[in-house]
Amino acid sequence: MRTHTVFPSLLLLGALSLTAACSSGPSGTADTTPSGAKPTSASATSTASPAHSVDPSKIKGLRIVSDSSEQKSCAFATSYPDVPGAEAMTAVMKKYVEQRLATFRSDGCSAAGTEDSEFNISHHFLVASGDVLGVRLTTHDSSAAGSGLSSATYWYDGKAGAYRTVLELVADGSRDAFLTAVKGRLQGREGVDAAALDSAFADPASASALLDDMEFTAAGGLRVTFDRGDVGVPAAGAYTVTLSAKTVTPWLSAFGERAQRQTVTPSGSLDLGATHTPTPAVPTHTASGDDDTDCKKVKCIALTFDDGPAVPETGTLLTYLAQYKARATFFTVGQNVAAHPDLVRAEARAGHEVGNHSWNHPDLTKLTAEQVAYQLNRTSAAIKAATGKEPTLFRPPYGAVNSTVRSATTLSPVLWDVDTEDWKYRDATKVARTVIDTTQRNDVVLMHDIHPTSVAAVPEILRTLTARGYHFVTVSHLRATL
């Protein structure tokens, strides 16, 4: 489908204030927001002290594994971290993400048959210090029952070189006392199903499946989060139970004690015993002045790359672009910018444009204005921290934009003219031929730098279209010179 998108659309109102989209009441924390809202785990609104934030850019060798579609009728975006040394934990997360995504693509998309179907898995680091790694995955599946929102935490013990289940934070001999305490905190809350609670906690296997989201607070307490509908009526939302450090510490396993200590007092470095920590090269290409291409006089194309930065794909792509003195626009995802700010700096240094593609790739049209503002403002802040400059453009995930989205930001939306569908066809030759055969003068081309096959297609695209007299410019430059 070809619809020219080069001219910016009228934007209505300034950015809105950042406010949480969760609510809490006497029954606990009711969290019914979709994945695009301000932190969706119920812990985000707990009165217990929050844990120290983790800077993912300090995790050596970190790779964010991402996948996404641009098909509105089957919208999905997933991400999880791959940390050197924690391969066993990565494998567990990978299996979960791939199984859930496969189910959604085979059942959720086809069953929906509309543009309301969306699947999103985002990640958040709980602790990455000493020999302890903790990660939360938050899943939003619009095809699932209820809110479709769930979360789970994953733990890795570097000292033992082993993935740990959530309940392994608690010593074997103390689990009965721990479960009794958690159950006691839940009983009597509005909406809690007492019979279902008794049944779930009576069976060790059921209790283990139910207790899949636990994290330490900055004060050393242990916060347990239950998804909506797990222990109470769905209308009551999610529930949290926070046990104080004084209460929970005697029950912790040796690993749990280390996880607690590294959360309360992070050591500042992570060592999981990896035998090899890859250090991806960051290109040092530097643009030689401003682009003086006049797109009124010559044929121009704006190549755009979504969902990065990615290791090592984005670095490879930057090298290819430099070889042809081509400039492009990168629509970056905030959680990936936070993990790899060095690559975003390299993009800007090489004369490319860095745009905003939301924090974790939700369909913005399904969010409130406040949630949209949070997604975009948080990402813009990460881009500015990396490059020193705030973006002026954003690409709405799935190309989904409406009046609510426009009113929530001063950023100018950018869609596309040529969709390579490279997320669907992982074939470098096919991607290259799509661009070469269908692109016309002043077109905006959609690609993704998270896919090796898409990056591999770029040299042929640059070589062939350069020979045909095309110049590769950023979206803003194309707009300014037409």
Side-chain angles (χ1 to χ4, degrees), residues 111-272:
T114 68
E115 294 191 353
D116 293 329
S117 183
E118 182 184 7
F119 181 81
N120 186 292
I121 297 180
S122 61
H123 68 274
H124 172 70
F125 288 97
L126 303 174
V127 58
S129 178
D131 56 12
V132 176
L133 178 66
V135 174
R136 171 179 284 110
L137 296 185
T138 300
T139 302
H140 176 234
D141 183 353
S142 67
S143 68
S147 68
L149 184 67
S150 61
S151 61
T153 56
Y154 299 79
W155 294 89
Y156 191 78
D157 181 350
K159 182 177 181 180
Y163 162 70
R164 300 296 189 188
T165 63
V166 172
L167 269 183
E168 286 182 277
L169 293 169
V170 180
D172 289 343
S174 300
R175 288 183 187 172
D176 286 345
F178 170 72
L179 293 175
T180 298
V182 173
K183 180 180 173 183
R185 296 291 183 90
L186 289 169
Q187 288 176 329
R189 287 191 180 183
E190 182 181 350
V192 169
D193 186 332
L197 192 63
D198 288 339
S199 175
F201 277 73
D203 176 25
S206 296
S208 180
L210 199 62
L211 294 161
D212 63 353
D213 188 353
M214 299 198 306
E215 65 177 322
F216 290 99
T217 70
L222 188 60
R223 182 186 296 122
V224 185
T225 301
F226 298 92
D227 295 329
R228 179 177 181 174
D230 276 355
V231 295
V233 295
Y239 292 82
T240 61
V241 168
T242 302
L243 302 176
S244 69
K246 180 179 179 180
T247 298
V248 78
T249 298
W251 296 333
L252 297 178
S253 64
F255 171 66
E257 291 176 352
R258 283 186 283 117
Q260 181 192 53
R261 183 168 59 253
Q262 293 296 343
T263 302
V264 175
T265 311
S267 65
S269 62
L270 178 68
D271 184 3
L272 302 180

Side-chain angles (χ1 to χ4, degrees), residues 350-379:
H352 304 296
E353 183 169 31
V354 180
N356 188 321
H357 197 39
S358 80
W359 183 260
N360 67 313
H361 208 286
D363 182 339
L364 299 178
T365 63
K366 297 178 182 177
L367 307 184
T368 66
E370 290 82 4
Q371 292 166 354
V372 172
Y374 180 84
Q375 281 278 331
L376 298 179
N377 291 353
R378 188 181 182 191
T379 302

Side-chain angles (χ1 to χ4, degrees), residues 194-451:
L197 192 63
D198 288 339
S199 175
F201 277 73
D203 176 25
S206 296
S208 180
L210 199 62
L211 294 161
D212 63 353
D213 188 353
M214 299 198 306
E215 65 177 322
F216 290 99
T217 70
L222 188 60
R223 182 186 296 122
V224 185
T225 301
F226 298 92
D227 295 329
R228 179 177 181 174
D230 276 355
V231 295
V233 295
Y239 292 82
T240 61
V241 168
T242 302
L243 302 176
S244 69
K246 180 179 179 180
T247 298
V248 78
T249 298
W251 296 333
L252 297 178
S253 64
F255 171 66
E257 291 176 352
R258 283 186 283 117
Q260 181 192 53
R261 183 168 59 253
Q262 293 296 343
T263 302
V264 175
T265 311
S267 65
S269 62
L270 178 68
D271 184 3
L272 302 180
T275 56
H276 173 65
T277 302
T279 306
V282 177
T284 58
H285 312 296
T286 302
S288 55
D290 295 332
D291 188 359
D292 60 2
T293 304
D294 186 346
C295 295
K296 291 187 180 72
K297 298 179 179 178
V298 299
K299 295 187 294 184
C300 290
I301 293 172
L303 295 180
T304 65
F305 297 91
D306 288 9
D307 293 357
V311 172
E313 290 79 15
T314 302
T316 303
L317 174 58
L318 288 174
T319 298
Y320 291 155
L321 293 170
Q323 290 170 352
Y324 284 84
K325 294 183 172 57
R327 304 205 189 199
T329 300
F330 290 86
F331 289 102
T332 56
V333 171
Q335 59 186 358
N336 292 348
V337 175
H340 301 296
D342 52 345
L343 284 173
V344 181
R345 279 192 291 275
E347 291 170 356
R349 185 172 57 243
H352 304 296
E353 183 169 31
V354 180
N356 188 321
H357 197 39
S358 80
W359 183 260
N360 67 313
H361 208 286
D363 182 339
L364 299 178
T365 63
K366 297 178 182 177
L367 307 184
T368 66
E370 290 82 4
Q371 292 166 354
V372 172
Y374 180 84
Q375 281 278 331
L376 298 179
N377 291 353
R378 188 181 182 191
T379 302
S380 289
I383 292 171
K384 183 177 181 180
T387 67
K389 182 180 179 181
E390 289 190 357
T392 60
L393 306 179
F394 82 103
R395 170 162 286 159
Y398 316 110
V401 63
N402 59 14
S403 59
T404 299
V405 175
R406 295 177 190 275
S407 70
T409 182
T410 57
L411 298 173
S412 179
V414 178
L415 300 182
W416 55 84
D417 302 299
V418 176
D419 183 355
T420 60
E421 295 191 311
D422 57 341
W423 61 271
K424 183 188 300 183
Y425 302 107
R426 307 296 173 85
D427 182 328
T429 300
K430 180 177 179 59
V431 172
R433 292 316 312 173
T434 297
V435 177
I436 292 167
D437 293 345
T438 63
T439 301
Q440 300 174 16
R441 183 173 182 172
N442 300 331
D443 274 352
V444 175
V445 179
L446 169 63
M447 300 178 71
H448 297 79
D449 55 328
I450 60 172
H451 303 312

Side-chain angles (χ1 to χ4, degrees), residues 78-98:
T78 64
S79 72
Y80 62 91
D82 181 354
V83 178
E87 288 78 12
M89 187 176 96
T90 301
V92 175
M93 292 189 291
K94 179 177 186 287
K95 181 178 180 180
Y96 168 78
V97 171
E98 291 184 347

